[in-house]
Amino acid sequence: MLEALQLKRLKQVVQRVYHTVGFYRRVFDEASVTPDDIKTLDDLKRFPFTSKQDLRDNYPFGMFAVPMSSVVRLHASSGTTGRSTVVGYTKRDIDTWSELMARCFVAAGLTKNDIIHNAYGYGLFTGGLGAHYGAEKLGASVIPMSGGNTKRQIMILQDFGPTAICCTPSYALNLAEQGKAMGVDMRSLKLRVGIFGAEPWSEKMRQEIENVLGIKALNIFGLSEIMGPGVAMECLEGRHGMHIFEDHFLVETINPETGEVLPPGEEGELVFTTITKEAFPLVRYRTRDLSRLITEPCRCGRTLHRMDRVMGRSDDMLIIRGVNVFPSQIEAILLAIKGVEPHYQLIVDRAGTLDTLEIQVEVGEQVFANADEVKVLQNMERQIAKDIKDYLGVSAKVKLVEPKTLQRFEGKASRVQDKRRI
Ligand code: ADP
Ligand code: ZN
């Protein structure tokens, strides 16, 4: 049954992108495949992948499969400059997304009788509005908190008595810490479940959150390119692996080096094909997220396959306080500043519950030879920190170091030290 539906939808979407998106027409032609080649689900394998770079090359609207007059919403992936990924939705896409987010809430045991505190950021980021529409679809009462303003959030948690909370796992810990500092017994709040995602987290972190907040913590997965939050969601009964909404998304795991499709259970890069999206359909989109598929039946009775928690990335993308950052973006900003050398190190850590980023970068001899050295250095540090904040949306501590003091590499440079133990 599901397979028949998937095949029907897959055929439709492949036809549609071939006729409406110049990029797909070109890459299908280059790979000598046509929409008619889809006879079974397995035939998808013969089609080329879509990469993040392809989306960037078609920035901002080049991948849209409908005219702008049919697009009712735009979002963009977090923390990037001109090269961010812009995604669009038709009215029906928003309905589907709301429906899938509502399914996520149901999987978390929520009903219209619940009050949902939504602390995902509202704005270009998909988290806030995605969860919001899903909560309304469910008929629950949604508190559109958005991120930040932590003290106020604690007050609302006490006064409005929400039964569920949505935010990043690190923000959940942050709230718990802040609450404790304010003398609030966070375990005695009415909260009973949390829906956490948008960044990697571990089983250990789950236990910690459950413990400090006195709730059940569930994992939700998504990415703007494929829809936003609600691509996959854990169920309350299983709490192991996230059910993928396979009636809307086809998933494959591939070997990131060779592109070869792996059997279920093996760890690889997740590749998604959207089979119902209208405005921004993607065929075989390489997420760079590493995980594995779980095909064993789940305790909850859902027959949708699951994906394990994301174990890492096959590229160097960092997620710092929920913002996606590529070291190459930092490099571009550093190198645009006069006197800065192309030698740097990024040190990512976690202070309490907050991610921190330190940038160590070498400056040229002439800067150190300058009479006003200290002042010049301070100004440069300030300038770099400001540019990083302005362009990427993350705060960084910048430390300028003397020429030739940072490590040099013989093979592949390893410029990132991620010390977070999550
Ligand atoms: P979002 O879908 O969170 O709005 P982005 O599109 O900016 O935001 O980021 C998507 C990326 O976030 C994913 O490709 C993945 O790397 C990461 N991510 C999202 N949810 C999770 C999760 N539950 N666990 C680990 N990583 C996640
Ligand atoms: Zn389940």
Side-chain angles (χ1 to χ4, degrees):
M1 258 309 272
L2 176 64
E3 284 196 5
L5 179 72
Q6 287 174 326
L7 182 61
K8 184 176 132 217
R9 290 180 166 176
L10 176 63
K11 282 181 175 170
Q12 284 167 353
V13 78
V14 171
Q15 281 288 355
R16 204 149 45 76
V17 297
Y18 188 67
H19 294 289
T20 54
V21 184
F23 165 80
Y24 279 116
R25 158 83 44 149
R26 196 168 37 93
V27 296
F28 288 2
D29 285 349
E30 276 166 15
S32 305
V33 286
T34 74
D36 295 329
D37 289 331
I38 301 273
K39 304 253 187 308
T40 68
L41 287 174
D42 213 40
D43 293 326
L44 180 59
K45 271 199 200 121
R46 301 169 52 192
F47 282 70
F49 294 115
T50 309
S51 70
K52 183 125 187 147
Q53 188 57 44
D54 296 327
L55 307 188
R56 287 189 179 138
D57 293 346
N58 289 284
Y59 176 87
F61 307 141
M63 299 290 282
F64 287 15
V66 297
M68 281 311 272
S69 55
S70 303
V71 173
V72 299
R73 175 98 67 80
L74 296 168
H75 278 288
S77 72
S78 48
T80 38
T81 51
R83 289 177 301 164
S84 74
T85 310
V86 182
V87 296
Y89 304 78
T90 63
K91 182 76 187 61
R92 206 186 84 185
D93 290 336
I94 297 285
D95 287 347
T96 309
W97 186 12
S98 312
E99 176 74 36
L100 297 187
M101 270 307 305
R103 280 193 201 169
C104 294
F105 290 130
V106 170
L110 302 178
T111 68
K112 66 184 169 76
N113 298 324
D114 283 286
I115 304 179
I116 301 177
H117 180 107
N118 183 17
Y120 281 120
Y122 282 65
L124 280 177
F125 173 61
T126 52
L129 284 170
H132 184 104
Y133 273 59
E136 286 192 351
K137 182 91 181 179
L138 179 70
S141 318
V142 50
I143 309 172
M145 248 347 275
S146 198
N149 223 333
T150 309
K151 285 201 174 113
R152 181 125 193 260
Q153 303 233 10
I154 304 285
M155 275 171 50
I156 302 265
L157 284 169
Q158 288 178 286
D159 298 348
F160 294 11
T163 45
I165 181 165
C166 308
C167 59
T168 59
S170 52
Y171 194 63
L173 284 176
N174 194 355
L175 276 169
E177 207 172 66
Q178 179 72 247
K180 197 171 156 205
M182 288 164 67
V184 178
D185 176 8
M186 296 299 278
R187 290 183 57 96
S188 68
L189 296 172
K190 289 216 178 105
L191 285 181
R192 60 169 209 276
V193 66
I195 292 130
F196 305 119
E199 65 184 13
W201 54 311
S202 60
E203 212 43 55
K204 202 173 134 263
M205 201 156 153
R206 174 177 353 233
Q207 280 159 19
E208 197 174 326
I209 294 174
E210 294 195 334
N211 194 23
V212 290
L213 289 178
I215 59 172
K216 289 267 184 274
L218 300 175
N219 199 357
I220 184 168
F221 174 83
L223 62 166
S224 343
E225 295 92 319
I226 296 308
M227 179 174 82
V231 173
M233 171 75 194
E234 267 179 352
C235 58
L236 201 56
E237 296 83 356
R239 292 209 306 142
H240 171 63
M242 298 168 269
H243 290 284
I244 302 162
F245 297 124
E246 296 171 294
D247 47 341
H248 295 273
F249 314 108
L250 301 185
V251 62
E252 303 167 272
T253 32
I254 63 162
N255 174 331
E257 308 289 326
T258 62
E260 171 208 359
V261 177
L262 302 171
E266 265 183 48
E267 184 182 326
E269 181 181 335
L270 295 173
V271 171
F272 284 98
T273 298
T274 68
I275 51 175
T276 53
K277 276 211 310 184
E278 293 182 330
F280 194 80
L282 291 180
V283 175
R284 302 195 87 199
Y285 182 68
R286 291 189 58 162
T287 63
R288 296 289 175 182
D289 290 318
L290 301 176
S291 181
R292 70 185 186 96
L293 298 179
I294 305 172
T295 49
E296 289 81 37
C298 181
R299 230 177 270 161
C300 70
R302 282 178 186 78
T303 50
L304 298 166
H305 292 155
R306 287 170 286 166
M307 57 176 270
D308 209 337
R309 60 174 63 254
V310 174
M311 296 143 185
R313 304 242 338 147
S314 68
D315 64 6
D316 54 357
M317 186 179 91
L318 295 164
I319 303 185
I320 300 170
R321 284 183 228 163
V323 179
N324 301 351
V325 179
F326 287 93
S328 56
Q329 293 176 307
I330 295 179
E331 181 174 303
I333 291 170
L334 291 177
L335 297 185
I337 291 173
K338 203 166 154 274
V340 169
E341 299 287 313
H343 301 289
Y344 61 93
Q345 276 284 316
L346 309 179
I347 297 134
V348 187
D349 207 343
R350 188 162 276 176
T353 59
L354 279 184
D355 297 331
T356 59
L357 168 65
E358 180 178 311
I359 302 175
Q360 296 182 357
V361 58
E362 289 183 14
V363 289
E365 303 274 3
Q366 66 291 1
V367 178
F368 278 97
N370 193 308
D372 294 322
E373 194 185 292
V374 178
K375 228 172 99 198
V376 173
L377 287 174
Q378 279 175 352
N379 281 342
M380 270 175 90
E381 281 179 354
R382 225 172 290 142
Q383 183 62 46
I384 295 171
K386 182 172 181 309
D387 285 356
I388 298 278
K389 178 83 196 168
D390 288 351
Y391 289 114
L392 304 179
V394 291
S395 306
K397 184 174 156 216
V398 179
K399 211 166 127 192
L400 298 178
V401 300
E402 292 192 34
K404 305 197 177 57
T405 48
L406 293 181
Q407 196 189 342
R408 298 293 192 264
F409 305 94
E410 283 170 355
K412 208 168 140 63
S414 118
R415 302 192 194 282
V416 180
Q417 292 175 47
D418 200 336
K419 297 182 171 168
R420 289 175 291 193
R421 265 182 301 262
I422 55 165

